[in-house]
Amino acid sequence: MGHRLVAPGALSGVSVRCCGGMGKGEAVPACTQPPTHCADTGDGCAGRGRRAIVRGTVTHRRQGEGPLQLIFIAGTWGSGTTAMAAALAELGVPALGPHLHTNDPATPNAFELLPFRDLVLRYTDEATLTIKPDVVAPFARDLQAFAAEVAAGKHGAIVGARPRFLLKMPLAGLALPYLTYFFDLSVILMHRPLEEVEMTRQRRGWPELYGLAGGRVLVNKTFGALMAIKKPFLGVSYEALTQAPEASLAQVIDFCGLDDLSDNVARAAGVIRRA
């Protein structure tokens, strides 16, 4: 089975089998400390401080103005986040633009929205996979401005029965506790055995950070961020997505409330290719 709804609060300090395991029955490494000690997630005492700073920094929404639904695709590099983003875009979820393009002919479009990518890179350290210190207030202000830009259509039209869009950027998994302030957040967590992630990195000729070495760290910290926001998420294995794409997308439609797009499943499944 490739997917399962997981409640992050159940993950504290233990290893769990999420979504049938990360492929081939592996246990998913959870955060090695209880969430009150996960500095990168901003939970516990640090989280209360972050929440207070954000509330004092951002302006309140106008009465009756609801947040956009953000379908955020999390996971390590090489775990299938691009394949999922491409499928959801074909399904009819706006991916906005412009996107980062890569040197990999199998996945030339990374589906990473450049303005969002630039924003995240200002406040994170990709080399250490951490959020930079003392950036809560400016990060919050810039994310609020970004949310306003998206709502105004600056990065592309948001059409359909519900105001929603998708984002994908592995490093932004660190920022999930920030994103939940400004969007109605639905998280899809892609997972794949890290040995396969490493093989993909080698094929692409990318630095070690984007394979096994960085993946071990990023999957742990992304789980810590998911625990901090205390919202269920949908885990989807790369194997399930590539072997049974229509079934995987049906799970996503159910979890994210995309019933109005269900007629497009076959077309969306057709863009998924194993990389």
Side-chain angles (χ1 to χ4, degrees), residues 195 215 240 252 259 267:
E195 292 78 12
V252 172
D259 297 317
R267 187 180 73 203

Side-chain angles (χ1 to χ4, degrees), residues 2-267:
H3 10 64
R4 191 175 123 211
L5 191 63
V6 180
L11 303 181
S12 175
V14 298
S15 291
V16 297
R17 291 189 182 275
C18 169
C19 318
M22 291 184 70
K24 304 179 182 175
E26 302 165 50
V28 176
C31 190
T32 56
Q33 296 288 340
T36 51
H37 294 97
C38 291
D40 286 325
T41 68
D43 202 17
C45 296
R48 288 192 291 274
R50 170 178 47 76
R51 288 189 288 272
I53 292 172
V54 171
R55 290 192 187 104
T57 300
V58 303
T59 56
H60 293 289
R61 297 186 184 96
R62 295 188 299 272
Q63 186 175 4
E65 180 185 22
L68 291 166
Q69 181 189 16
L70 166 57
I71 300 173
F72 184 83
I73 305 166
T76 65
W77 299 276
S79 64
T81 57
T82 299
M84 179 61 79
L88 288 184
E90 191 67 25
L91 191 69
V93 180
L96 309 184
H99 296 151
L100 174 73
H101 285 256
T102 77
N103 63 353
D104 180 9
T107 54
N109 183 354
F111 279 90
E112 293 187 12
L113 179 65
L114 286 175
F116 177 71
R117 175 183 168 82
D118 292 344
L119 191 163
V120 171
L121 288 174
R122 282 200 298 274
Y123 297 109
T124 57
D125 185 338
E126 190 173 47
T128 60
L129 298 174
T130 58
I131 293 177
K132 294 176 182 177
D134 304 320
V135 299
V136 173
F139 198 180
R141 281 194 296 266
D142 282 359
L143 277 172
Q144 185 179 39
F146 170 74
E149 290 174 357
V150 172
K154 181 176 179 179
H155 305 298
I158 296 179
V159 296
R162 289 188 60 190
R164 61 196 173 206
F165 72 112
L166 71 87
L167 286 175
K168 167 256 169 180
M169 182 185 179
L171 187 62
L174 303 175
L176 291 175
Y178 289 80
L179 293 175
T180 195
Y181 287 110
F182 305 105
F183 300 103
D184 175 14
L185 193 62
S186 300
V187 180
I188 301 168
L189 178 65
M190 296 300 303
H191 55 84
R192 186 181 189 184
L194 292 178
E195 292 78 12
E196 293 183 14
V197 169
E198 175 63 15
M199 290 172 61
T200 299
R201 178 199 72 80
Q202 292 178 13
R203 177 182 62 77
R204 289 168 166 169
W206 288 5
E208 290 187 3
L209 174 71
Y210 303 113
L212 181 64
R216 281 176 172 159
V217 177
L218 187 59
V219 72
N220 224 3
K221 293 191 174 184
T222 300
F223 262 96
L226 285 166
M227 283 188 276
I229 65 175
K230 300 177 182 177
K231 291 187 66 173
F233 61 91
L234 180 69
V236 180
S237 74
Y238 179 78
E239 188 72 18
L241 181 64
T242 55
Q243 296 301 317
E246 291 195 23
S248 293
L249 290 174
Q251 293 280 339
V252 172
I253 286 171
D254 181 62
F255 175 69
C256 296
L258 306 177
D259 297 317
D260 54 306
L261 304 179
S262 58
D263 290 344
N264 302 332
V265 166
R267 187 180 73 203

